[in-house]
């Protein structure tokens, strides 16, 4: 996959892309990331990329022509229909489903703004999708671009190596992960749950599934409502409720019936 990033801070991407999995993906030629300096697409002596907002008000707005010229230039080397993604708090929230869609593309163009925002005509002229990382305000699009690159890169064939991480992910899809333990068996008074030491693979699978359901119920009930639960899941949830209700006043009982 080839990812072009347009930014006034190309250095922002240096360290995150030079360590761990993203570094190896690039070394192996599975991922190419190019950070392009927006100022290279200005035509004035001082490479100015921002200006005062029409209509007045605080702060600066990023000028449209440098972004539009940068995208037109990059599109000459990109397949027809390459997504041009603009990061903004007003975009669609980034989800794993969106990440999966994007990871199937050969080429992405990412635009990072700054200041109070970008001239609306950049959207009109070249942007195909606007993406938000969540309902909080960043200083600019760069941290969002790094998150997207990271999430997309790990789905590229060959990047995570041959472990089962992605398989188990699709199994637990829509639920939170169960707890993990490794040696030593005791950390002070904190021991590993007996079942994980038992060697009973079926019991271990059930325990993990139940822990996933329990965590999701307690921390992200919104996810549990959306998840497609099997017959077994319903049973495991019923057990959880029995356990909880033994320790909990009736008025706080958790209702799980669909
Ligand atoms: C950005 C800013 C106040 C924007 C400038 C460009 C994305 N999920 C997410 N949070 N923040 C961003 C993001 C992306 C690009 C830019 N800013 C700063 C400041 C704004 O309106 C209140 C909008 C923020």
């Amino acid at each position: 996959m080839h990812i072009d990033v347009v930014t006034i801070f190309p250095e922002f991407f240096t360290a995150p892309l030079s360590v761990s999995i993203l570094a190896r993906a690039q070394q192996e030629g599975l991922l190419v990331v190019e950070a392009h300096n927006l100022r290279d697409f200005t035509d004035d002596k001082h490479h100015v990329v921002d200006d005062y907002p029409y209509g007045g008000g605080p702060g600066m707005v990023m000028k449209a022509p440098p972004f539009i010229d940068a995208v037109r230039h990059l599109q000459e080397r990109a397949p027809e229909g390459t997504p041009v993604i603009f990061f903004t708090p007003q975009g669609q929230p980034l989800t794993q489903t969106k990440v999966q869609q994007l990871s199937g593309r050969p080429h992405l163009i990412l635009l990072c703004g700054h200041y109070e925002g970008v001239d609306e005509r950049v959207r009109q002229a070249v942007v195909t999708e606007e993406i938000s990382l969540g309902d909080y305000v960043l200083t600019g699009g760069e941290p969002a671009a790094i998150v997207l690159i990271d999430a997309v890169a790990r789905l590229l064939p060959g990047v995570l190596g041959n472990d089962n991480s992605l398989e188990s992910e699709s199994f637990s899809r829509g639920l939170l992960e169960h707890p993990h333990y490794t040696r030593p068996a005791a950390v002070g008074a904190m021991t590993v749950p007996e079942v994980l030491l038992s060697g009973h693979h079926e019991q271990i699978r059930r325990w993990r599934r139940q822990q996933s359901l329990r965590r999701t119920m307690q921390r992200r009930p919104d996810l549990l409502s959306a998840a497609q639960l099997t017959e077994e899941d319903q049973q495991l949830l019923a057990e959880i409720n029995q356990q909880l209700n033994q320790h909990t006043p009736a008025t706080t009982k958790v209702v799980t019936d669909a």
Side-chain angles (χ1 to χ4, degrees):
M1 165 177 284
H2 190 120
I3 304 180
D4 288 310
V5 185
V6 180
T7 169
I8 56 171
F9 297 123
E11 326 86 86
F12 213 106
F13 295 84
T14 310
L17 291 170
S18 68
V19 290
S20 185
I21 292 169
L22 297 185
R24 207 182 56 226
Q26 289 172 103
Q27 281 159 17
E28 294 178 4
L30 304 169
L31 173 70
V32 176
V33 181
E34 286 186 73
H36 306 274
N37 195 331
L38 181 69
R39 294 188 195 277
D40 294 345
F41 299 91
T42 54
D43 48 20
D44 64 305
K45 189 169 97 184
H46 294 104
H47 304 287
V48 175
V49 294
D50 63 330
D51 206 338
Y52 300 97
Y54 275 122
M60 300 296 272
V61 174
M62 292 187 90
K63 297 156 75 67
F67 272 115
I68 293 173
D69 291 348
V71 171
R72 299 271 190 246
H73 171 76
L74 297 172
Q75 278 173 331
E76 285 171 20
R77 304 181 291 140
E80 198 83 14
T82 292
V84 178
I85 297 169
F86 179 68
F87 297 103
T88 164
Q90 295 147 63
Q92 289 296 118
L94 185 62
T95 62
Q96 188 64 17
T97 301
K98 186 75 220 172
V99 169
Q100 275 162 13
Q101 287 168 11
L102 294 174
S103 73
R105 295 288 200 148
H107 201 129
L108 302 173
I109 298 175
L110 313 183
L111 307 184
C112 304
H114 262 269
Y115 315 117
E116 302 310 302
V118 173
D119 188 305
E120 186 65 19
R121 291 163 293 184
V122 174
R123 292 184 170 84
Q124 274 177 256
V126 296
V127 170
T128 64
E129 35 198 318
E130 299 183 36
I131 291 181
S132 166
L133 274 213
D135 293 336
Y136 41 83
V137 182
L138 304 171
T139 58
E142 287 82 3
I146 288 165
V147 168
L148 184 139
I149 292 167
D150 185 278
V152 164
R154 66 185 284 285
L155 297 185
L156 299 177
V159 166
L160 281 197
N162 229 359
D163 68 58
N164 303 319
S165 311
L166 291 180
E167 258 175 69
S168 74
E169 233 168 65
S170 74
F171 170 71
S172 65
R173 193 161 31 139
L175 296 181
L176 302 183
E177 282 244 291
H178 58 75
H180 299 279
Y181 296 90
T182 187
R183 293 187 293 175
V187 176
M190 297 181 288
T191 55
V192 175
E194 202 63 47
V195 61
L196 297 179
L197 309 174
S198 70
H200 289 123
H201 299 296
E202 175 59 15
Q203 282 179 32
I204 291 169
R205 187 195 60 77
R206 271 178 57 91
W207 181 85
R208 286 178 169 162
R209 188 71 184 172
Q210 190 163 45
Q211 289 292 314
S212 274
L213 290 161
R214 179 182 187 129
R215 282 194 159 180
T216 309
M217 185 171 90
Q218 291 181 326
R219 300 180 186 191
R220 292 293 303 277
D222 57 313
L223 294 182
L224 197 57
S225 321
Q228 295 205 338
L229 300 182
T230 64
E231 199 77 358
E232 180 187 46
D233 291 336
Q234 305 283 357
Q235 271 175 29
L236 293 170
L237 275 172
E239 275 179 39
I240 294 168
N241 273 324
Q242 281 162 23
Q243 289 162 20
L244 289 177
N245 291 337
Q246 283 167 16
H247 308 287
T248 312
T251 50
T252 62
K253 274 183 185 174
V254 183
V255 177
T256 57
D257 293 326

